Amino acid sequence: MGYQTTAAKMNTIFADLSKDYLIYAPKRYVGDGTFVHIDTIRYGEITDLSEIEFAEKSNYSFKEVLLPISETLFYFTENEMKEADAPKKGAIVFLRSCDLHGLKRMDTIYLENGAVDTYYKRLRDNTKFILMGCESSFENCFCVSMGTQTSDDYDAYLKVTGETVLVDSHWDALDAALAGATPASVIPDSVTANETVVTIPETVPQTLFDDPFWEDYGNRCIACGRCNFVCPTCTCFTMQDIFYTDNGKAGERRRVWASCHIDGYTDMAGGHAFRNDKGQRMRFKVLHKVNDYKRRFGTHMCIGCGRCDDVCPEYISFANCINKLNTLVNDTAKEEN
Amino acid sequence: MLDLNTKKIKKNAYRITKVRGETASRIRVPGGLLTAELLPLIQNIAQTYGNGKIHLTTRQGFEIPGIKYGDIDTVNALLQPIIEKLEINQEIPGKGYTSAGTRNVSACIGSNVCPFATYNTTNFAKRMEKEIFPNDLHFKVAFTGCANDCIKTRMHDFGIIGMTEPQYEKERCMGCQACVKACKKKSVDALSVENYRIVRNTEKCVGCGECVINCPTRAWTRSPETYYRLVIMGRTGKRNPRLAEDFLVWATEDAIIKIVKNTYSFVTNYIDRDAPGGKEHIGYIIDRTGFEEFKKWAMDGVELDSRTIVKNPVYWSGIHYV
């Protein structure tokens, strides 16, 4: 159902919902950026619509709500262990269309790729998603190329214009709360074109895995992992077993984000690492996003948010890499014919 | 026939040069930043009244050589828009700079451009200039954005080095150790790892912010407050060139301004009345009075932040030629 209501009314509704839900949205953290006097926009808890940063793309995605950067899985002592409690409240997450498609990728990895991940599932099952529209494309966005510029898969859509709020609700509880509000036809804002256009090669022959094409990235990438950490579809984690310093017989197991660009990702027992070259790390990531994942799950993993291009301190463009790769694949095919 | 009062000319920021009959005008640029519109004005003075050349001074000003002593009044009139635009304190409008002792307050490019900077060096330099100029006493003050000290504050009477107090949100840390590597290789090796999380040695940390710059998840961020290391009494020169030593660490802007201003009173009281040209470096005065006496004057009425560390006593070394 579509409604027109006021910001004051919506804030009251969210205040009521906050008894059962923590509300997460992109927020401006003043001065928390990499450099002095630069802000960061990332996810945090909100209590008022005015705290939400609608005007800019968030630097980090929503994924940390469902996949915390550091998450204690269980506690152990001697012969016993206890699973960490799930949060007492569910979550409401504000996010854009591309990120909603990112959610599908996370679901695929954590719920449909072999055993169900119970830690992910228990958060996911209690989370509602509220779509934020995009009136225009941001820098480096290529959602249209990835087909992620629209999504119907939301619990609600919200558009705030001053004191006026337009809502499209797919959620019973919200419909009930909005009973009496003015009915309206509400269609989410979405873009139809981006400045950045990406053409993805249909298949990438394995012969290109060792192509000199990747060497350029080997020289440029500094293995900081920022592209992975801002990506809503990077889902890798690693484990940390902690023994408390006051009592080594007790401790906890945490899982934390991992990055295929950072040293240590491919380390094995005995000290061998099989992707030391940063160009090969780039190849692994790029082909996972637009080649391998599709072969396995039917869609591309990348959702075209462009955050990797926004954040790279060495100005490496993932989008341009795909386009250059497409040219390389076409040229290689011509040579073979 | 020239009949000049060289003392008045020097006080007006003109040099008595080695070329008989020619002076040079020194233009102050506090913080080393100016708008490009001023360059044609400087160009005009150099081409019309100088020899067409402009020297970029070591203190980030301009020096226009080859000016005839008789043209000083005209040049002063042409300097007026530059002085006004750069908001230089001026005692008599239209008469140029009315002191030269306290040198141009210089600064590295700071947070306007540099990724390492912890604060806006230009703005602090301009504030300092407003507080201390014009004054005949020989003071050199410089500002640098971080512990790299590109402006070389440690060769100044007062050097101000920016610091940030790194804030660590451990739940945002996945243990990539980018901060640890950066601190070890580029800074002072103040970070270590305990149970996959980072421990900051607060005794060693110099507040450079390398951890913040290198953190990929915003686990490290800057403190809302900017802090400063105040280093004092560095100098070049014939007798005992030396680097400035730490006086205050984790100091605030207001405390630094107050200390520098207090030092003017100290110097006025203790300067050698027979010093050649009435000019004696502050450091040599402190060498004579002892650090304790300087500190008593400098700290008068200064309010310190609870984090501020005061070094006491301060010892200098350097090279001794006498």
Side-chain angles (χ1 to χ4, degrees):
Chain A
M1 271 285 289
Y3 307 91
Q4 180 175 332
T5 183
T6 63
K9 173 70 178 167
M10 276 317 296
N11 279 329
T12 312
I13 292 172
F14 282 121
D16 204 34
L17 287 168
S18 70
K19 289 169 194 154
D20 299 316
Y21 296 93
L22 298 170
I23 305 169
Y24 294 97
K27 278 170 74 171
R28 180 174 294 275
Y29 288 78
V30 175
D32 274 4
T34 300
F35 307 120
V36 72
H37 306 145
I38 304 283
D39 302 341
T40 291
I41 301 167
R42 62 171 175 84
Y43 276 73
E45 275 184 58
I46 59 142
T47 55
D48 192 289
L49 288 178
S50 64
E51 292 174 75
I52 303 174
E53 179 59 61
F54 280 102
E56 288 183 41
K57 190 200 307 186
S58 65
N59 305 118
Y60 292 83
S61 85
F62 74 99
K63 77 175 173 188
E64 61 191 73
V65 177
L66 296 178
L67 184 65
I69 298 173
S70 172
E71 180 180 21
T72 299
L73 301 186
F74 56 80
Y75 304 91
F76 55 80
T77 178
E78 297 175 332
N79 296 321
E80 291 173 25
M81 62 85 82
K82 180 197 175 297
E83 204 166 271
D85 292 338
K88 289 190 174 57
K89 293 181 182 181
I92 294 171
V93 179
F94 283 77
L95 76 182
R96 296 179 192 276
S97 172
C98 58
D99 283 342
L100 261 176
H101 286 268
L103 175 68
K104 286 188 196 168
R105 311 297 186 268
M106 289 174 73
D107 286 349
T108 303
I109 294 292
Y110 280 102
L111 303 177
E112 295 153 25
N113 183 30
V116 168
D117 186 291
T118 54
Y119 298 99
Y120 178 81
K121 188 171 189 301
R122 69 186 193 179
L123 292 174
R124 174 74 174 87
D125 286 348
N126 289 313
T127 305
K128 298 289 178 186
F129 296 92
I130 298 186
L131 180 67
M132 304 162 68
C134 295
E135 287 176 56
S136 56
S137 184
F138 297 106
E139 189 180 2
N140 293 326
C141 289
F142 54 99
C143 53
V144 176
S145 298
M146 304 312 296
T148 62
Q149 72 274 30
T150 58
S151 175
D152 299 327
D153 216 2
Y154 51 79
D155 294 294
Y157 164 73
L158 216 78
K159 179 178 181 170
V160 182
T161 313
E163 277 304 300
T164 306
V165 178
L166 293 175
V167 185
D168 184 39
S169 169
H170 296 174
W171 181 15
D172 299 345
L174 194 59
D175 282 317
L178 282 164
T182 315
S185 169
V186 180
I187 297 162
D189 289 332
S190 62
V191 300
T192 52
N194 311 117
E195 196 174 311
T196 301
V197 176
V198 168
T199 310
I200 302 171
E202 199 53 44
T203 53
V204 180
Q206 199 142 358
T207 50
L208 291 184
F209 283 21
D210 290 320
D211 194 273
F213 175 77
W214 304 105
E215 287 172 12
D216 178 44
Y217 297 103
N219 293 327
R220 293 164 67 194
C221 173
I222 59 168
C224 68
R226 281 173 173 81
C227 52
N228 298 124
F229 297 138
V230 299
C231 177
T233 72
C234 273
T235 48
C236 286
F237 62 80
T238 186
M239 294 295 188
Q240 295 174 346
D241 283 351
I242 311 304
F243 297 88
Y244 299 139
T245 48
D246 282 0
N247 177 5
K249 288 182 177 176
E252 65 184 68
R253 172 167 289 185
R254 295 197 291 245
R255 76 166 164 199
V256 296
W257 285 2
S259 152
C260 56
H261 273 275
I262 291 182
D263 291 349
Y265 184 80
T266 62
D267 283 1
M268 294 184 294
H272 179 63
F274 53 87
R275 253 191 329 268
N276 278 323
D277 177 64
K278 296 179 186 71
Q280 284 300 306
R281 295 178 193 179
M282 181 72 176
R283 189 265 308 157
F284 174 81
K285 178 190 71 183
V286 169
L287 293 187
H288 185 45
K289 297 292 177 195
V290 299
N291 190 60
D292 309 335
Y293 183 93
K294 189 178 180 185
R295 284 189 200 185
R296 190 176 172 123
F297 300 112
T299 57
H300 287 303
M301 192 178 208
C302 173
I303 47 91
C305 70
R307 289 188 180 95
C308 48
D309 285 13
D310 297 338
V311 79
C312 180
E314 300 301 314
Y315 286 87
I316 292 171
S317 167
F318 174 84
N320 197 39
C321 177
I322 299 173
N323 283 336
K324 287 197 295 186
L325 182 65
N326 186 55
T327 306
L328 181 68
V329 168
N330 289 338
D331 290 352
T332 309
K334 277 180 208 154
E335 278 170 29
E336 281 170 4
N337 293 335
Chain B
M1 174 242 312
L2 284 171
D3 182 11
L4 306 170
N5 182 333
T6 61
K7 290 187 176 60
K8 281 189 177 171
I9 288 170
K10 283 193 272 190
K11 189 172 154 56
N12 200 194
Y14 290 88
R15 200 194 280 272
I16 305 302
T17 74
K18 59 176 281 196
V19 184
R20 193 80 189 166
E22 288 185 4
T23 180
S25 163
R26 267 179 293 155
I27 297 172
R28 305 175 74 83
V29 185
L33 190 73
L34 73 167
T35 46
E37 66 190 323
L38 297 181
L39 292 178
L41 308 185
I42 297 165
Q43 178 190 7
N44 176 42
I45 298 170
Q47 289 178 333
T48 314
Y49 296 97
N51 59 16
K53 292 177 180 168
I54 296 167
H55 181 246
L56 301 176
T57 77
T58 60
R59 301 204 59 79
Q60 302 182 313
F62 298 95
E63 182 155 351
I64 307 173
I67 295 169
K68 303 286 181 219
Y69 286 105
D71 287 332
I72 283 178
D73 287 345
T74 315
V75 170
N76 276 341
L78 293 173
L79 287 173
Q80 192 59 27
I82 300 169
I83 288 169
E84 285 174 11
K85 185 76 188 176
L86 291 173
E87 297 174 7
I88 308 292
N89 289 339
Q90 197 181 23
E91 286 156 326
I92 317 157
K95 296 291 181 189
Y97 305 97
T98 49
S99 281
T102 291
R103 298 298 199 255
N104 187 46
V105 178
S106 45
C108 74
I109 196 161
S111 67
N112 287 315
V113 172
C114 181
F116 302 118
T118 62
Y119 70 106
N120 189 317
T121 51
T122 306
N123 286 355
F124 198 173
K126 283 180 162 176
R127 181 180 170 196
M128 181 63 80
E129 165 90 9
K130 276 276 175 207
E131 296 278 356
I132 65 177
F133 186 80
N135 198 297
D136 293 332
L137 294 176
H138 192 95
F139 274 55
K140 287 177 177 160
V141 186
F143 291 84
T144 203
C146 76
N148 284 349
D149 194 9
C150 293
I151 199 78
K152 293 157 188 71
T153 63
R154 287 193 188 268
M155 294 168 83
H156 287 72
D157 299 315
F158 292 99
I160 293 94
I161 303 170
M163 303 176 82
T164 190
E165 186 186 34
Q167 311 288 306
Y168 184 55
E169 194 178 327
K170 61 182 191 303
E171 293 300 319
R172 294 193 68 79
C173 177
M174 96 305 286
C176 73
Q177 300 191 26
C179 55
V180 179
K181 288 175 197 161
C183 191
K184 185 180 174 70
K185 298 237 170 116
K186 296 174 77 181
S187 192
V188 297
D189 198 9
L191 301 179
S192 57
V193 182
E194 194 176 300
N195 268 344
Y196 297 100
R197 284 192 172 146
I198 312 302
V199 179
R200 182 173 65 101
N201 182 334
T202 53
E203 303 274 312
K204 284 177 89 174
C205 176
V206 293
C208 66
E210 280 290 347
C211 48
V212 180
I213 293 165
N214 286 282
C215 179
T217 56
R218 313 323 303 135
W220 285 110
T221 52
R222 290 181 173 75
S223 51
E225 307 82 10
T226 301
Y227 297 98
Y228 307 91
R229 182 183 299 266
L230 175 64
V231 301
I232 59 168
M233 305 309 139
R235 63 193 175 202
T236 55
K238 298 184 183 75
R239 297 167 68 86
N240 171 217
R242 67 189 188 189
L243 291 179
E245 293 287 338
D246 290 2
F247 181 27
L248 302 188
V249 190
W250 307 107
T252 60
E253 194 167 321
D254 288 346
I256 288 166
I257 295 274
K258 180 83 173 145
I259 286 169
V260 174
K261 290 182 80 170
N262 282 345
T263 305
Y264 278 87
S265 308
F266 166 81
V267 171
T268 305
N269 194 60
Y270 283 110
I271 194 167
D272 179 0
R273 308 288 161 201
D274 299 326
K279 171 175 154 181
E280 188 182 25
H281 283 120
I282 315 165
Y284 289 106
I285 302 172
I286 297 175
D287 291 349
R288 204 168 58 240
T289 66
F291 171 76
E292 280 303 322
E293 185 63 12
F294 162 74
K295 191 190 159 199
K296 192 178 85 188
W297 285 73
M299 297 303 283
D300 183 41
V302 174
E303 286 178 26
L304 294 177
D305 185 271
S306 60
R307 281 178 173 73
T308 307
I309 298 164
V310 182
K311 300 284 184 175
N312 190 21
V314 175
Y315 293 114
W316 292 269
S317 57
I319 307 165
H320 289 268
Y321 291 104
V322 286

